[in-house]
Amino acid sequence: MSFEKMNICADMILTNAIEDMAEEENISIEESRNRLLSSNACKCLYNFDSGLWKEGSDYFLDYYRRSQQKVSG
């Protein structure tokens, strides 16, 4: 698959995850976007070797939350 298509998939996952997180946690879109964009999970999403870009936004949010537990735990 081309880099462009993988990037589009990652962008769609990130967009959906931002919206889902904001709704689920009752926070603003801006806060959700800032949290996700500054995370290691986001770095992994755009590291196409990881394969995370092939998963959906639910999987990505779960991955993000598990990685945050490791950081704060």
Side-chain angles (χ1 to χ4, degrees):
M1 186 171 287
S2 72
F3 173 83
E4 183 179 343
K5 287 181 183 177
M6 290 186 292
N7 200 56
I8 289 169
C9 289
D11 287 347
M12 289 186 334
I13 288 170
L14 181 60
T15 299
N16 291 336
I18 289 168
E19 293 171 351
D20 291 347
M21 176 190 251
E23 184 177 327
E24 290 170 13
E25 297 186 14
N26 197 27
I27 59 175
S28 69
I29 291 287
E30 293 78 16
E31 176 66 22
S32 178
R33 183 178 60 237
N34 289 340
R35 287 184 191 180
L36 290 173
L37 285 176
S38 64
S39 72
N40 285 331
C42 189
K43 291 176 188 171
C44 188
L45 178 63
Y46 287 91
N47 174 357
F48 300 127
D49 292 334
S50 75
L52 192 55
W53 64 272
K54 294 186 259 184
E55 306 297 337
S57 60
D58 289 342
Y59 185 91
F60 173 70
L61 268 180
D62 183 62
Y63 181 87
Y64 164 79
R65 290 176 175 139
R66 284 184 283 126
S67 69
Q68 289 302 106
Q69 287 176 347
K70 288 179 185 176
V71 170
S72 63

